[in-house]
Amino acid sequence: MSEKTKAIFLDRDGVINKEVSYLSNPDMFEFIEGSIEALKILKQKNFMLIVITNQAGIARGFFTEETLMAIHNKMKKILRNHGIDLVDIYYCPHHPDITGPCDCRKPKPGMIIKAKLKHNINLTKSYMIGDTLNDIKTGKAAKCKTVLVLTGYGKEEQKKIDLIKPDMIYENLYRFAKEI
Ligand SMILES: [Mg+2]
Ligand SMILES: [Zn+2]
């Protein structure tokens, strides 16, 4: 792989699947309309697809890492049936109040940096996509282009845009995939 590899770093909840606040059961995992098609388009446009997600529900004891694996296996299986491979899923299981500070929890860019080193990604050609300004901060810290989508918490978060400005705003992942 050359350093020309470009990636889409995707927040999970509110971008790929519906935000339900601490998703803790694979049965509750539901794709946002158009997100599967969007990932297919992005793959066709030669982006490596990598999920970057905070899962503090683990630190809080709301669900276990095994449950998170089951949720991700369900997501990956459905995507695989559509010919889409998620190259990697990075998650931060920590919460600063419970497990202390860590380098992975967004808005720190730790998970993106880890992915960059593993997959030799050119970050300036890559995008971080999320439904919160925390995701936008993460992308900026990693020197990626940043995209706020208006699914999940996106519409509420858009009202809070002040010093942290996303490079682009799209109605949903599908609109971004089509237009990029
Ligand atoms: Mg989110
Ligand atoms: Zn962490």
Side-chain angles (χ1 to χ4, degrees):
M1 248 179 284
S2 77
E3 75 256 356
K4 283 178 190 146
T5 304
K6 53 182 186 173
I8 306 280
F9 298 107
L10 299 131
D11 172 45
R12 194 194 74 184
D13 302 319
V15 176
I16 297 174
N17 56 283
K18 291 184 181 168
E19 170 62 64
V20 296
S21 184
Y22 295 111
L23 175 65
S24 58
N25 182 337
D27 295 338
M28 284 157 62
F29 180 95
E30 208 184 322
F31 283 98
I32 290 170
E33 207 186 315
S35 68
I36 296 176
E37 185 59 26
L39 293 173
K40 199 183 283 184
I41 293 167
L42 292 170
K43 193 196 159 198
Q44 284 162 358
K45 293 185 177 179
N46 287 319
F47 286 100
M48 189 179 270
L49 304 175
I50 297 176
V51 172
I52 301 284
T53 178
N54 282 356
Q55 293 298 327
I58 293 172
R60 290 180 180 281
F62 295 164
F63 53 91
T64 63
E65 259 172 297
E66 287 68 35
T67 301
L68 186 68
M69 292 307 129
I71 291 166
H72 288 170
N73 285 339
K74 177 181 177 178
M75 173 170 74
K76 284 192 283 189
K77 189 177 169 197
I78 295 169
L79 291 176
R80 213 177 295 127
N81 290 341
H82 285 85
I84 303 157
D85 66 304
L86 283 182
V87 169
D88 245 324
I89 301 176
Y90 292 88
Y91 63 91
C92 167
H94 309 115
H95 189 282
D97 297 346
I98 301 159
T99 47
C102 68
D103 291 326
C104 39
R105 183 172 165 84
K106 294 180 283 184
K108 287 193 180 163
M111 294 189 279
I112 293 182
I113 303 301
K114 214 168 160 185
K116 172 210 155 59
L117 294 173
K118 181 172 171 189
H119 299 291
N120 208 6
I121 294 163
N122 183 328
L123 292 180
T124 55
K125 287 184 182 165
S126 300
Y127 295 81
M128 174 73 215
I129 306 183
D131 67 322
T132 69
L133 296 182
N134 205 42
D135 297 312
I136 303 308
K137 278 187 204 168
T138 312
K140 286 188 184 290
K143 300 195 163 51
C144 297
K145 290 173 260 192
T146 56
V147 183
L148 181 73
V149 286
L150 301 180
T151 45
Y153 295 122
K155 285 204 172 86
E156 283 307 306
E157 292 282 297
Q158 188 182 21
K159 294 179 195 160
K160 296 192 256 166
I161 290 176
D162 184 13
L163 291 174
I164 303 292
K165 287 189 183 68
D167 296 311
M168 291 161 246
I169 300 175
Y170 284 97
E171 200 59 37
N172 52 42
L173 188 60
Y174 180 75
R175 292 305 334 158
F176 166 74
K178 289 289 274 187
E179 286 169 38
I180 203 66

